[in-house]
Amino acid sequence: MNVLYNDSTIQAPLLVDGNQIRINPEAITVGEFRGFTGSGREATYIGYPKESSNIDVFAVDLTTGSVRRLTSHPEYCDPIDVSADDEWIAIMDTRGSNRQMFMAGMRNIPPITDIISTTAASSTRNNGQRRFFQPYLLDRYGDRGDYYGQQINAAGDGSPGSINDPEWNGMADPRFSLDTTRLVYWQALVVTPACGGSNPLPCPDSTEPGGRTERIMVAHFTSRQPVPVGTVEPLSDTIPWATPYEPGSAPSRPLSVPGGVYTLYGTVNGSAQITIVENGDATTIDTVSVAYDSFSDDGLTFLNGTESVTVRNPTVTLNEVDWYSDLVQSGQTNATKQTSPDGFHLSIDVLTNIFDANGTLSTTVNGTLYTQPANGT
């Protein structure tokens, strides 16, 4: 048995070298294991972000340790299934809902504040049990460039009870048939307290028999021919990059960067000054602040401004976040990410995912404004 984790320094997503920090593109960070590809050669998982506040799915080769980023859309992805022939990927994603765009819509921000903000960023995807997911189909290579796949249930008219009724949200987990011609997923209708009562959103009436609020959906890919089920070749029980499991062994340590002031240089231009503040006994990180100066990894977009995040945990699951952002991106993309003058203050429990904030955090991308959800919605 293996633990899909390696505490070697070379596996850390952020590498510290003196007073410099570097982003490690080869890091294996299995935060939440999501399953295997059809051939079983790769494990899929939610990993440490490649871009700030953008929660994605990755795949890691169980033999070589090679990592692929399967999704990159700014919206949140979690449930995933890969077809038996490894040619297709089905995901449940909030893309199209604009649920996460207020926080993740500005692309190409290095994942620095994410040292402490990832839990909050991932929790805002839900309103309690309402997930805002819809099913999407990607080819084997996943998101890239302007390709973000296709919504599987987009053909409806959006009316109450239709296959793309926005009040019916996808849940976990989609599954392909072995011959890849069908996909099954399930949906849940928004119900109180995510609507009705003190919530400003009214609750819809179910159009399903008996007023059911959950339903199973089967998508049939009619233009496809069934794919013969192939033979899965066995892999070694030893995963070279993983940690052998030993009964009673301690859980893996969380990502930790010592307190201090660091510099991150853009691959093409500019730099970012990073300040990390630990708590009084140096057991956790309280605050991460970043100041960008013409920072660019691609030479096409340039980032300037400041961002600072402070996180407190009154309980294990409760996050209290103080967020201050004044970022401006220019070049190929013109974007801003800004909080109100008094900052954005979020309280969210990962067990309930109820959005409760004071102040505002909003992102504008090429003239399109994305604002945060209202409290309780």
Side-chain angles (χ1 to χ4, degrees), residues 145-218:
D146 295 328
Y147 173 78
Y148 293 115
Q150 64 188 91
Q151 185 175 338
I152 291 173
N153 62 336
D157 60 9
S159 62
S162 63
I163 62 170
N164 64 340
D165 177 358
E167 304 298 347
W168 284 89
N169 299 141
M171 309 294 281
D173 288 299
R175 286 293 180 262
F176 281 103
S177 61
L178 284 178
D179 67 3
T180 76
T181 63
R182 289 176 172 84
L183 182 83
V184 63
Y185 62 97
W186 67 288
Q187 296 178 313
L189 184 67
V190 56
V191 296
T192 188
C195 60
S198 60
N199 193 296
L201 299 178
C203 285
D205 294 325
S206 173
T207 59
E208 295 297 315
R212 292 194 308 247
T213 57
E214 295 178 350
R215 64 186 188 183
I216 297 291
M217 309 292 284
V218 180

Side-chain angles (χ1 to χ4, degrees), residues 51-53 102-114 271-273 288-295 302-309 323-330 333-340 361-366:
E51 299 173 285
S52 188
S53 301
F102 80 101
M103 183 179 289
M106 180 185 278
R107 308 295 300 274
N108 301 307
I109 303 177
I112 303 300
T113 61
D114 305 77
S271 63
Q273 180 173 291
V288 178
S289 301
V290 191
Y292 295 97
D293 181 11
S294 297
F295 184 93
F302 298 85
L303 183 61
N304 288 278
T306 60
E307 189 161 48
S308 179
V309 178
W323 199 307
Y324 297 87
S325 184
D326 186 12
L327 298 177
V328 177
Q329 198 173 64
S330 59
T333 300
N334 292 296
T336 61
K337 183 179 181 182
Q338 297 175 319
T339 53
S340 51
L361 172 61
S362 60
T363 295
T364 301
V365 181
N366 293 331

Side-chain angles (χ1 to χ4, degrees), residues 41 233 265 312 320:
R41 295 185 175 277
E233 297 180 5
Y265 289 101
R312 297 174 299 279
E320 293 181 347

Side-chain angles (χ1 to χ4, degrees), residues 124-154:
T124 57
R125 73 189 188 276
N126 288 359
N127 173 26
Q129 293 300 311
R130 188 179 189 185
R131 293 186 172 230
F132 299 92
F133 283 150
Q134 294 298 340
Y136 283 80
L137 183 69
L138 306 173
D139 67 23
R140 67 179 302 164
Y141 303 105
D143 291 338
R144 59 197 182 276
D146 295 328
Y147 173 78
Y148 293 115
Q150 64 188 91
Q151 185 175 338
I152 291 173
N153 62 336

Side-chain angles (χ1 to χ4, degrees), residues 265-270 295-298:
Y265 289 101
T267 303
V268 176
N269 190 79
F295 184 93
S296 179
D297 279 333
D298 59 10

